[in-house]
Amino acid sequence: MSGHTVTSFDEDLGAIDRIIRDMGHFSAAMVDAAVAALLNGDVAMAQRVVADDAVLDTRQRELDERAITIIAKRQPMAQDLRAVVGAIRMASDLERIGDLAKNIAKRVTALEKSVAPKGFSHSIETMGQLVHQQLERVIDIYIARESEALNPLRTDDEKIDVQYTAIFRELLTYMMEDPRNITPCTHLLFCAKNLERIGDHVTNIAENAYYIMTGSQLPANRPKMDETGTIIPLA
Amino acid sequence: MMFNAPESQKMNTNAAPVAIADPKKVDLPTGFKTVRTPDPEPRPVRVHADDVCVFYGSKQALFDVSIDIPEKAVTAFIGPSGCGKSTFLRCLNRMNDTIEGARVEGKITLDGEDLYDPKLDVVELRARIGMVFQKPNPFPKTIFENVAYGPRIHGLARSKTDLEQIVVESLKKASLFNEVKDRLHEVGTGLSGGQQQRLCIARAIAVSPEVILMDEPCSALDPIATAKIEELIDELRANYTIVIVTHSMQQAARVSQRTAFFHLGILVEEGPTEMMFTSPAEKRTQDYITGRFG
């Protein structure tokens, strides 16, 4: 795509792209750190994740301001308009991802005091890696503007859902084995739920990125594999 | 408009045959077909153009332009200077007839009637297809006379009261009446630019046209006067078929329901306005509306 006649317009759009890229990598690092803190019971790391959320909030506000200024100054059209509006929405998803990573980190202190065997959280490690990869990938695809790579990425969200369902069952089993597991397992369940929600935000970002690049929407019926809503307790 | 002073015609038409593109010299796809996106709910077609070519002497200014212009809607023509949008607009009421050496080929119909039928009365045609120009061009007469002129020479009023009624109605439709009701017999040229333009619109409306052509009607006006004209265009849309040429993409996006993009004498793309400004199908349209040309 050739540049605008007014070159500073390109710079303005480039700047919001860079913020999205930074926020994407930053939030992915937060997810990684939150899960690592959870697995290692690292309270200091967890506190850093909680503090980092403010950085993401500031970046989001900066992006909003820049996007609104572009709309006011440049009256963007077509792909430019989609890029600006899409960036606002993506930044909001990334900010939510930061919140969810913070929620995971906040539970580290509570879990540290519990007697839960470390093995309980191993499946969460796998899920965390999956979510982290997805998030990094969607940002890379968006920056490289490779629209055709987005649909497979979106369907990959089902892997996260499958993982979440497996963790749900697993933790349920631990809780039934020993009621003392209920507190730590509930915390872990919330952590898994937070990761699953992050996966949904990644999907939103993928859908937004696709709209920005092509002007059309991805088909609405994406696979949903979270089956925890249908699991019933054994009598 | 049949009662246009020859001076004003000259003023507007002199600017026409400039920067005419020669597609043989530029890289144009041979046998290029206009990309068309129909309306989700198609409107009845009022004006139909088929393979219209315009030549100024040996220079070809328009290449096989075909388009359907729907009734009770605003169709905007956009494109860079010299792309042929004003040339095509002027074909629609045979204003190009007044330019020496201009030749129009192809077919243009209004409700199925051939506009280039040699038997057609051009003066009457220009009453049915009125025109508003870039620069307001009221006659050096009173406000009343500016509007009354058309109906009078076309014999549309049977009595003085009739004529007065037409004038008042036309001024009301052009959202000008309240501002000028106490000075109908003062000269029209004493009004502000925006008021003069609305006076010209009232003058066009006075002869009950079916189609109103507007050639950059707001380019000489300030933002407030522009907003008033845009509001007026939106109101007139309920009763008239409107075609507007504009250099302001935002204006095209605001006032029109369909947009046609011209480039180098070719109609590149036409479609619903929302689509044209959010996700146009053609790369050239996209480049133009996002400011990536050149």
Side-chain angles (χ1 to χ4, degrees):
Chain A
M1 179 59 64
S2 56
H4 289 91
T5 309
V6 180
T7 49
S8 54
F9 193 176
D10 288 331
E11 287 158 23
D12 288 352
L13 289 171
I16 59 168
D17 247 18
R18 279 193 295 281
I19 297 178
I20 291 293
R21 190 191 59 199
D22 293 350
M23 282 182 78
H25 294 320
F26 193 87
S27 59
M30 276 175 74
V31 173
D32 229 13
V35 173
L38 183 74
L39 296 172
N40 305 321
D42 187 338
V43 176
M45 190 185 241
Q47 283 168 345
R48 279 201 298 278
V49 173
V50 173
D52 277 349
D53 187 45
V55 178
L56 218 46
D57 289 357
T58 311
R59 293 295 271 169
Q60 190 209 358
R61 277 197 292 275
E62 187 196 339
L63 183 130
D64 277 359
E65 278 167 23
R66 280 178 180 271
I68 284 167
T69 308
I70 291 179
I71 293 171
K73 263 169 68 178
R74 317 263 185 209
Q75 290 103 46
M77 293 281 193
Q79 72 192 53
D80 299 334
L81 180 60
R82 298 198 303 268
V84 174
V85 174
I88 295 175
R89 300 207 307 227
M90 282 196 225
S92 150
D93 278 313
L94 290 167
E95 190 273 329
R96 284 296 298 143
I97 289 174
D99 286 346
L100 293 164
K102 183 173 79 173
N103 288 351
I104 295 173
K106 275 179 171 173
R107 291 185 190 271
V108 173
T109 325
L111 268 167
E112 207 224 2
K113 291 178 188 136
S114 80
V115 290
K118 293 291 176 213
F120 283 13
S121 43
H122 276 162
S123 328
I124 290 191
E125 185 178 11
T126 321
M127 191 178 177
Q129 282 167 354
L130 204 56
V131 170
H132 176 263
Q133 274 170 17
Q134 290 275 83
L135 180 51
E136 289 279 11
R137 244 176 83 202
V138 78
I139 296 300
D140 289 343
I141 291 170
Y142 168 68
I143 296 299
R145 298 286 196 271
E146 290 167 344
S147 60
E148 65 285 354
L150 285 166
N151 206 18
L153 180 128
R154 192 176 68 144
T155 44
D156 276 358
D157 181 54
E158 70 182 87
K159 288 186 192 159
I160 296 175
D161 290 343
V162 167
Q163 190 78 25
Y164 174 59
T165 308
I167 290 175
F168 189 95
R169 287 176 193 279
E170 192 185 332
L171 293 173
L172 218 54
T173 314
Y174 296 144
M175 287 192 261
M176 287 194 300
E177 276 171 9
D178 185 345
R180 280 173 298 175
N181 288 339
I182 290 177
T183 306
C185 284
T186 307
H187 281 302
L188 289 174
L189 198 52
F190 274 114
C191 291
K193 182 68 195 167
N194 284 331
L195 286 173
E196 189 270 337
R197 292 291 303 133
I198 292 175
D200 288 345
H201 284 291
V202 171
T203 306
N204 282 353
I205 294 172
E207 287 166 355
N208 249 312
Y210 189 84
Y211 177 68
I212 292 173
M213 291 178 220
T214 65
S216 50
Q217 308 277 4
L218 279 167
N221 51 341
R222 83 178 166 98
K224 210 47 188 141
M225 300 298 279
D226 171 7
E227 293 168 355
T228 56
T230 60
I231 292 174
I232 40 171
L234 295 168
Chain B
M1 218 159 10
M2 71 297 143
F3 40 83
N4 231 314
E7 290 78 22
S8 65
Q9 280 194 11
K10 270 183 205 148
M11 177 187 72
N12 285 286
T13 52
N14 274 350
V18 292
I20 302 307
D22 181 356
K24 289 182 192 75
K25 287 183 188 159
V26 292
D27 186 26
L28 278 182
T30 45
F32 178 82
K33 273 207 168 352
T34 302
V35 178
R36 295 173 204 283
T37 310
D39 279 325
E41 286 171 32
R43 300 173 173 87
V45 174
R46 208 69 209 268
V47 179
H48 173 79
D50 217 5
D51 288 332
V52 174
C53 296
V54 177
F55 301 83
Y56 291 119
S58 59
K59 284 252 185 191
Q60 190 168 356
L62 274 185
F63 299 82
D64 302 315
V65 173
S66 300
I67 189 171
D68 286 339
I69 293 170
E71 73 168 1
K72 294 182 180 173
V74 181
T75 302
F77 292 170
I78 60 168
S81 295
C83 68
K85 57 191 188 302
S86 294
T87 296
F88 184 64
L89 187 79
R90 281 195 307 270
C91 288
L92 300 180
N93 70 345
R94 292 184 55 175
M95 290 293 280
N96 286 326
D97 290 12
T98 61
I99 300 172
E100 208 175 321
R103 192 170 93 247
V104 179
E105 288 178 3
K107 196 170 184 186
I108 304 176
T109 59
L110 170 63
D111 297 333
E113 192 183 342
D114 184 2
L115 295 186
Y116 283 80
D117 184 340
K119 292 192 288 276
L120 192 88
D121 179 352
V122 180
V123 172
E124 200 210 323
L125 168 72
R126 292 186 191 141
R128 289 172 68 191
I129 305 182
M131 193 156 188
V132 177
F133 295 93
Q134 182 173 3
K135 222 175 134 201
N137 53 357
F139 304 136
K141 290 170 179 277
T142 65
I143 294 166
F144 184 93
E145 280 304 318
N146 261 281
V147 184
Y149 188 85
R152 192 178 280 144
I153 66 160
H154 279 278
L156 298 180
R158 272 164 296 172
S159 63
K160 198 166 169 259
T161 338
D162 238 14
L163 188 64
E164 278 169 5
Q165 202 183 342
I166 291 174
V167 170
V168 170
E169 279 305 309
S170 303
L171 286 169
K172 278 183 180 166
K173 280 187 196 160
S175 308
L176 185 63
F177 185 69
N178 284 340
E179 293 164 52
V180 300
K181 61 184 173 200
D182 303 323
R183 45 178 172 150
L184 287 178
H185 298 287
E186 289 175 23
V187 286
T189 46
L191 296 171
S192 75
Q195 288 172 329
Q196 286 189 24
Q197 195 62 305
R198 278 179 282 149
L199 178 62
C200 293
I201 293 173
R203 187 176 63 180
I205 293 171
V207 290
S208 307
E210 292 152 59
V211 181
I212 303 174
L213 309 178
M214 298 185 174
D215 194 355
E216 295 183 48
C218 300
S219 60
L221 304 181
D222 74 12
I224 294 164
T226 299
K228 284 184 185 164
I229 300 277
E230 287 182 8
E231 168 72 10
L232 174 58
I233 291 172
D234 208 41
E235 285 166 11
L236 294 175
R237 169 161 74 85
N239 298 309
Y240 303 94
T241 298
I242 299 172
V243 186
I244 178 169
V245 163
T246 174
H247 270 137
S248 161
M249 242 98 61
Q250 277 74 31
Q251 180 168 67
R254 285 191 299 260
V255 304
S256 73
Q257 284 70 53
R258 284 190 73 79
T259 298
F261 169 58
F262 289 78
H263 184 221
L264 300 169
I266 283 173
L267 175 56
V268 175
E269 180 172 1
E270 55 125 347
T273 297
E274 300 89 51
M275 181 227 107
M276 291 286 281
F277 287 100
T278 53
S279 44
E282 255 291 304
K283 185 178 177 299
R284 273 186 289 173
T285 316
Q286 169 117 314
D287 283 354
Y288 179 68
I289 63 168
T290 58
R292 285 183 167 85
F293 252 21

